[in-house]
C-alpha cells in the first residue's frame, strides 16, 4: 500500500460522518403534496403503463440510462483474495464512487453471497433490467470467464468484467505508445506474459487483436512456461501454449521485446531484463507490489520503458483511465453490449490523448513540470480532465458503427459540450483542485485566526493535507476558542504579529516596506506601525518569503485591503488593476465570474484588464474561455437613436463602457473569444443569442465566462446563485497581483474558505516552481 495511507486514516475515512462513500439524492421536486403525487401514487402509474407497452421507454422515464451496477461475490478482492461478498463491499462502493466522480454515472454496489456460477448468473440476470450497464468485479478465475460470457449473451445491456478488460484496454494503450517510442512494430514484437489469470488472458487476447502474432507469445504460470508439452493446461490456457523450447520465465525472456506481469512480486530480476532485446518494454502490474521494484528495473538498463500499477511511479496503468468513460459512452447510445470494437476504440483514444499537450493543471496535480509524451509518460494521468471527452465519444462511435447502439448520437459537438459541462458537476473541479494541492501543500497564512469560520477552515485544510496552515492572532485566545469548538491545533502554527517575540520580524518587514514605498510618503516609523496590523504583517510574510500565500479576512471595507495588497505585493506588469474571480460549479457546468470583489468602479480600460486576467485564469484550469461582457444592453441597443446622449463615453459600469471595452478587446486581443455587451439571458441562452444576433462572435458556443460591469451586479449574481443552491463556489480567487494573496469575507462558510485555501496553496506551488508564473498568466 502507499506509504501515505495508514490503517487508522483509511478506517476513519470510511467510518466518520456518514458511514460509507455513497448516497442517493432525488432529482425531481418533492416539497409539495402535488410533487409527491407525481413522484409516487397516483401519478407514477402513467410512466409505468408507458413502459409496460414499450420497454424502451424505461430510458425516458427512469434513471436506467445513467445507472450502473458494480456486482461481485468477493472471491478475488484486490490482493486480498476470497474474503467474501460483504467484506468486499468497501471496494465495490469505491468503484461506484469512481463511476460517479469521473463520468457522472449513478451506481449501486451489489454484493452477491453466491459462489455457484449458475446461481450467480441467474441472480444478476434477474436484476439486470434495472440498470443501463453492469460492471462485474473481483470474481475469481476460471468462473469469471463463464459468468461474463453468459451474461454478455443473455443480457441486453453492456456487461464487462473490468478486472479482465479494463486492465487489457489500458495496458494495450500503453503498449501501443511504448513500442512506438521504442521504434518497434507490433507485429514483430516478442511478448512474454507472466501470469495466466483472467487479466493476463484478456490482455494477451487484446494484444493479439492489435497485431501481436500468437506465435510470438510465451505465457508463464506458477509452474513455468505454458508449452504444448504440458498436460495440465486448462481450456483457458491451452490456446497460449508455445512450441518453443522454453521452460522458465528467465528462458522465455531472452531476446523478448515486451514483458507483461500480472502475477506476484519479485519474480523479475535485473539480470532477466538485461537479457531482453534492445529497447525493451516492461509492464510489471502485480498488485500491490510489482514483479520488480521501480528502482531495480530502472537500474537494469538505460533503454527501458517501465510501467506499473502504482501511482507513485511514472507510467501508471490504472483501470480508472478506462471503465468510467467506456460505460459512459456505452450508456449514452444505449448500447446492448461492450464489444471488441468499443474496447479497441477506447485503446486508441487513450493512446492518442497521451500524445497531446498536457494542460497545466495536470502538471500541477502531479507536482511535475512540462509532462510530455515520452519514455516516462506513455499514458494520460488519471486526473486528466480530458479523458471523459476523449474516450466516451470514441466508444459511442464504435458502438454505433458496430451495430450495438440503440440511440445513435447525431450532434457530436453537442455531445462533447455536454461531457465538458459534466466536468463541473458534483464537485469534480473542487476535487481536482484538492488533489493538486495535496501533492505539494504550501504554507498558507489565514489573516483572521480569531474568527470561528477561518479558524475552523484552517484546521480543516491542514487536516485534509491541502496546505500547511498558519493562523495570525493571539495564541492563547485562539487555543481557548479551538478547545471550545472541539478543534485540534496539531500541525497548525499560530503567529501573533503583536507579540514581543515578533519584534525583530516587524522591524525587518517595516524596513523592507519603507524602502519599497519611500517615494509614496512612507517612513520607517509609518511602516513599523503598520506591522501590528494582521493584513500588513501577513502580506509581508508572503512578500518576504516567510509564507507562500495569504488569505485576508474581510469585513466590509474590501477597498482598504485591496489597497494594502497593491502597495505590498504589486500589480502584474502590463496591467493597471487586479481583480477577483469566482468559479461556480453548477449542473449546467462550470462558470467563471469576474470581477467579484475588488473594482467598484469599472471604466473601459479596467474591464479590458479584468477580461484579460480572467481569460488567463480560465485557460489554466483547462477550459477554453468563452467570454460574455455583461450589461443591461445588447450589442449597442441602448446606444441607438441618441439613447446614450446622457452618457459620457466610458462612464463606469455603463453599457457604453462595456461596449468600448469589447471594441478594445477585439482590436488588441483578436485571439480571445469574447463579445458583448449583452444581457445575462443572451449570454447563457445560446439559441436565443444566435437567433437574435447571428453576427455575434460567440456564435455556436456556450458561454462559460461572465465579466460583470460592476461589483453591484457581480456580487448580487454569485451570492444569489449560492443562496438558491445553484452550485458551489470557489473564490474569490485573486487574479493580477504578483504573489498569491487572496481575500474572503470572515462570514463566508467554512467550506468556501477551505476551497479558497486549496486554490491559494495550488497557486503558491505554481508560483514557487515558475518563479513569477501565476494562475492568470
Amino acid at each position: 500500500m502507499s506509504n501515505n495511507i495508514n490503517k487508522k486514516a483509511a478506517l476513519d475515512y470510511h467510518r466518520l460522518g456518514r458511514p460509507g462513500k455513497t448516497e442517493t439524492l432525488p432529482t425531481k421536486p418533492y416539497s409539495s403534496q402535488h410533487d409527491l403525487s407525481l413522484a409516487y401514487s397516483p401519478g407514477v402509474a402513467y410512466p409505468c403503463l408507458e413502459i409496460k407497452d414499450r420497454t424502451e421507454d424505461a430510458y425516458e422515464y427512469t434513471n436506467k440510462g445513467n445507472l450502473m451496477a458494480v456486482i461481485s461475490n468477493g472471491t478475488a478482492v484486490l490482493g486480498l483474495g476470497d474474503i467474501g461478498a460483504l467484506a468486499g463491499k468497501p471496494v465495490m462502493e469505491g468503484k461506484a464512487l469512481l463511476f460517479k466522480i469521473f463520468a457522472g454515472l449513478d451506481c449501486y454496489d451489489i454484493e452477491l453471497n453466491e459462489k455457484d456460477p449458475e446461481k450467480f448468473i441467474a441472480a444478476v440476470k434477474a436484476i439486470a433490467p434495472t440498470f443501463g450497464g453492469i460492471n462485474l468485479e473481483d470474481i475469481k478465475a476460471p468462473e469469471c470467464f463463464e459468468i461474463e460470457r453468459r451474461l454478455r449473451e443473455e443480457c441486453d445491456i453492456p456487461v464487462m468484467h473490468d478486472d479482465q478488460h479494463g486492465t487489457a484496454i489500458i495496458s494495450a494503450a500503453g503498449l501501443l505508445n511504448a513500442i512506438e517510442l521504442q521504434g518497434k512494430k507490433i507485429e514483430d514484437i516478442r511478448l512474454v506474459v507472466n501470469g495466466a489469470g483472467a487479466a493476463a488472458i484478456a490482455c494477451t487476447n487484446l494484444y493479439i487483436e492489435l497485431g501481436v502474432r500468437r506465435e510470438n507469445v510465451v505465457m508463464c504460470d506458477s509452474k513455468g512456461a505454458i508449452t504444448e508439452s504440458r498436460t495440465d493446461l486448462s481450456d483457458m490456457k491451452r490456446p497460449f501454449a508455445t512450441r518453443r523450447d522454453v521452460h522458465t520465465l528467465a528462458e522465455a525472456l531472452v531476446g523478448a521485446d515486451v514483458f507483461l506481469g500480472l502475477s506476484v512480486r519479485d519474480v523479475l530480476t535485473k539480470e532477466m531484463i538485461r537479457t531482453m532485446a534492445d529497447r525493451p518494454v516492461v509492464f510489471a502490474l502485480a498488485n500491490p507490489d510489482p514483479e520488480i521494484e521501480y528502482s531495480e528495473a530502472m537500474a537494469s538498463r538505460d533503454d527501458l520503458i517501465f510501467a506499473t500499477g502504482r501511482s507513485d511511479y511514472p507510467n501508471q496503468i490504472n483501470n480508472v483511465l478506462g471503465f468510467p468513460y467506456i460505460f459512459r459512452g456505452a450508456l449514452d447510445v444505449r448500447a446492448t453490449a461492450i464489444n471488441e470494437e468499443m474496447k479497441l476504440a477506447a485503446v486508441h483514444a487513450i493512446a492518442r490523448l497521451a500524445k497531446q499537450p498536457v494542460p497545466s493543471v495536470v502538471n500541477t496535480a502531479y507536482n511535475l513540470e512540462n509532462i510530455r509524451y515520452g519514455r516516462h509518460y506513455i499514458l494520460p494521468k488519471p486526473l486528466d480532465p480530458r479523458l471523459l471527452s476523449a474516450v466516451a465519444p470514441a466508444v459511442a462511435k464504435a458502438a454505433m458503427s458496430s451495430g450495438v447502439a440503440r440511440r445513435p448520437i447525431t450532434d457530436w459537438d453537442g455531445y462533447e459540450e455536454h461531457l465538458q459541462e459534466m466536468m463541473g458537476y458534483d464537485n469534480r473541479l473542487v476535487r481536482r483542485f484538492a488533489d493538486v494541492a495535496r501533492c505539494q501543500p504550501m504554507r498558507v497564512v489565514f489573516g483572521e485566526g480569531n474568527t470561528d469560520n477561518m479558524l475552523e477552515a484552517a484546521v480543516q485544510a491542514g487536516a485534509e493535507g491541502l496546505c500547511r496552515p498558519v493562523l495570525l492572532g493571539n495564541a492563547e485566545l485562539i487555543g481557548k476558542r479551538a478547545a471550545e469548538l472541539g478543534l485540534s491545533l496539531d500541525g497548525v502554527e499560530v503567529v501573533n504579529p503583536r507579540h514581543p517575540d515578533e519584534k525583530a520580524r516587524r522591524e525587518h518587514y517595516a524596513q523592507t516596506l519603507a524602502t519599497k514605498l519611500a517615494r509614496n510618503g512612507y517612513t520607517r516609523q509609518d511602516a513599523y506601525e503598520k506591522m501590528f496590523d494582521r493584513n500588513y504583517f501577513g502580506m509581508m510574510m508572503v512578500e518576504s518569503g516567510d509564507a507562500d500565500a495569504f488569505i485576508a479576512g474581510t469585513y466590509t471595507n474590501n477597498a482598504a485591503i485591496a489597497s494594502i495588497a497593491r502597495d505590498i505585493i504589486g500589480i502584474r506588469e502590463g496591467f493597471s488593476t487586479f481583480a477577483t474571480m469566482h468559479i461556480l460549479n453548477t449542473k449546467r457546468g462550470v462558470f467563471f465570474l469576474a470581477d467579484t470583489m475588488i473594482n467598484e468602479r469599472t471604466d473601459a480600460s479596467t474591464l479590458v484588464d479584468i477580461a484579460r486576467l480572467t481569460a488567463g485564469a480560465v485557460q489554466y484550469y483547462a477550459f477554453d474561455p468563452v467570454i460574455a461582457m455583461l450589461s443591461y444592453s445588447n450589442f449597442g441597443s441602448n446606444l441607438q437613436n441618441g439613447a446614450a446622449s446622457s452618457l459620457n463615453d466610458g462612464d463606469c459600469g455603463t453599457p457604453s463602457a462595456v461596449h468600448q471595452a469589447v471594441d478594445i478587446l477585439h482590436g488588441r486581443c483578436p485571439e480571445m473569444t469574447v463579445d458583448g455587451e449583452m444581457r445575462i439571458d443572451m449570454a447563457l441562452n445560446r439559441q436565443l443569442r444566435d437567433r437574435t444576433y447571428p453576427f455575434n462572435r460567440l456564435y455556436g458556443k456556450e458561454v462559460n465566462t461572465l465579466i460583470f460591469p460592476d461589483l453591484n451586479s457581480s456580487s448580487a449574481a454569485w451570492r444569489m446563485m449560492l443562496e438558491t443552491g445553484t452550485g458551489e463556489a470557489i473564490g474569490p480567487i485573486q487574479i493580477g497581483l504578483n504573489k498569491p494573496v487572496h481575500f474572503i469575507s470572515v462570514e463566508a462558510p467554512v467550506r468556501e474558505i477551505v476551497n479558497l485555501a486549496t486554490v491559494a496553496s495550488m497557486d503558491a506551488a505554481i508560483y514557487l516552481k515558475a518563479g513569477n508564473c501565476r494562475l492568470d498568466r
Side-chain angles (χ1 to χ4, degrees), residues 435-638:
D435 289 336
V436 170
R438 289 190 188 98
C439 290
Q440 190 177 3
M442 305 299 286
R443 187 172 156 87
V444 176
V445 179
F446 295 76
E448 299 295 327
N450 60 317
T451 61
D452 287 357
N453 285 9
M454 193 161 279
L455 169 59
E456 186 174 346
V459 170
Q460 185 173 328
E464 293 182 12
L466 302 170
C467 67
R468 292 178 286 132
V470 179
L471 285 166
L472 295 188
N474 183 292
E476 182 179 351
L477 294 177
I478 289 175
K480 180 179 179 181
R481 186 56 182 157
E484 292 172 351
L485 295 172
L487 302 174
S488 170
L489 292 178
D490 291 345
V492 179
E493 182 181 354
V494 179
V495 173
N496 185 354
R498 297 172 175 268
H499 197 278
D501 290 348
E502 294 296 335
K503 181 179 180 182
R505 186 148 54 169
R506 288 196 301 270
E507 290 177 344
H508 169 66
Y509 290 168
Q511 183 60 53
T512 302
L513 183 61
T515 301
K516 183 175 184 177
L517 300 179
R519 293 288 181 178
N520 291 1
Y522 264 76
T523 67
R524 186 180 179 283
Q525 184 60 36
D526 291 334
Y528 184 78
E529 291 176 0
K530 300 290 188 187
M531 291 309 119
F532 289 93
D533 182 290
R534 293 173 188 165
N535 290 316
Y536 276 93
F537 190 91
M539 291 186 202
M540 285 304 302
M541 289 180 73
V542 175
E543 178 68 10
S544 301
D546 292 340
D548 301 306
F550 178 66
I551 297 178
T554 66
Y555 290 87
T556 55
N557 194 354
N558 298 338
I561 297 180
S563 177
I564 297 171
R566 286 189 184 92
D567 287 345
I568 296 177
I569 305 299
I571 294 171
R572 281 183 51 202
E573 185 177 353
F575 295 88
S576 59
T577 190
F578 72 101
T580 59
M581 176 182 76
H582 272 78
I583 305 175
L584 289 181
N585 288 307
T586 76
K587 289 187 177 182
R588 282 191 55 175
V590 180
F591 292 94
F592 302 85
L593 282 60
D595 169 34
T596 56
M597 180 174 275
I598 301 302
N599 296 281
E600 185 175 350
R601 295 175 60 80
T602 52
D603 57 16
S605 63
T606 302
L607 289 168
V608 167
D609 276 358
I610 293 170
R612 291 171 57 214
L613 289 168
T614 306
V618 172
Q619 287 173 332
Y620 168 78
Y621 295 122
F623 288 81
D624 293 324
V626 180
I627 306 171
M629 305 290 287
L630 299 179
S631 176
Y632 62 82
S633 171
N634 286 315
F635 300 100
S637 62
N638 275 57

Side-chain angles (χ1 to χ4, degrees), residues 152-169:
R152 288 181 63 184
E153 291 177 356
E154 298 176 24
C155 295
D156 65 347
I157 59 174
V159 177
M160 186 174 80
H161 184 208
D162 187 53
D163 301 289
Q164 294 182 59
H165 306 294
T167 303
I169 290 165

Side-chain angles (χ1 to χ4, degrees), residues 293-504:
E293 281 297 322
Y294 176 79
S295 58
E296 290 284 298
M298 298 309 292
S300 67
R301 55 195 298 170
D302 295 332
D303 60 349
L304 173 69
I305 289 181
F306 185 70
T308 71
R310 294 179 57 131
S311 61
D312 46 352
Y313 302 133
N315 294 331
Q316 183 191 17
I317 293 177
N318 188 332
N319 286 18
V320 80
L321 295 175
F323 68 82
Y325 316 113
I326 292 167
F327 275 103
R328 177 79 270 169
L331 266 65
D332 286 342
V333 294
R334 299 179 187 172
T336 58
I338 291 177
N339 57 28
E340 297 308 305
E341 292 87 347
M342 296 160 73
K343 296 175 195 173
L344 291 171
V347 169
H348 290 291
I350 295 166
R352 283 194 300 269
L353 185 59
K355 300 176 185 180
Q356 298 176 13
V358 177
S360 299
V361 70
V362 178
N363 283 283
T364 308
Y366 293 90
N367 195 24
L368 297 170
E369 295 182 15
N370 197 25
I371 298 174
R372 63 177 60 189
Y373 181 56
R375 289 178 56 218
H376 301 295
Y377 178 69
I378 61 173
L379 286 167
K381 297 291 189 181
L383 294 177
D384 193 321
R386 302 170 299 168
L387 279 162
L388 178 62
S389 57
V391 181
V395 171
K397 289 176 182 177
M400 291 167 55
S401 63
S402 62
V404 297
R406 285 179 288 201
R407 188 185 67 173
I409 293 171
T410 56
D411 181 4
W412 289 103
D413 290 339
Y415 178 57
E416 293 195 22
E417 286 180 8
H418 167 68
L419 294 176
Q420 290 288 347
E421 289 173 0
M422 289 176 57
M423 294 304 300
Y425 182 49
D426 203 24
N427 300 329
R428 275 184 198 82
L429 200 63
V430 176
R431 175 178 51 80
R432 279 170 46 202
F433 292 171
D435 289 336
V436 170
R438 289 190 188 98
C439 290
Q440 190 177 3
M442 305 299 286
R443 187 172 156 87
V444 176
V445 179
F446 295 76
E448 299 295 327
N450 60 317
T451 61
D452 287 357
N453 285 9
M454 193 161 279
L455 169 59
E456 186 174 346
V459 170
Q460 185 173 328
E464 293 182 12
L466 302 170
C467 67
R468 292 178 286 132
V470 179
L471 285 166
L472 295 188
N474 183 292
E476 182 179 351
L477 294 177
I478 289 175
K480 180 179 179 181
R481 186 56 182 157
E484 292 172 351
L485 295 172
L487 302 174
S488 170
L489 292 178
D490 291 345
V492 179
E493 182 181 354
V494 179
V495 173
N496 185 354
R498 297 172 175 268
H499 197 278
D501 290 348
E502 294 296 335
K503 181 179 180 182

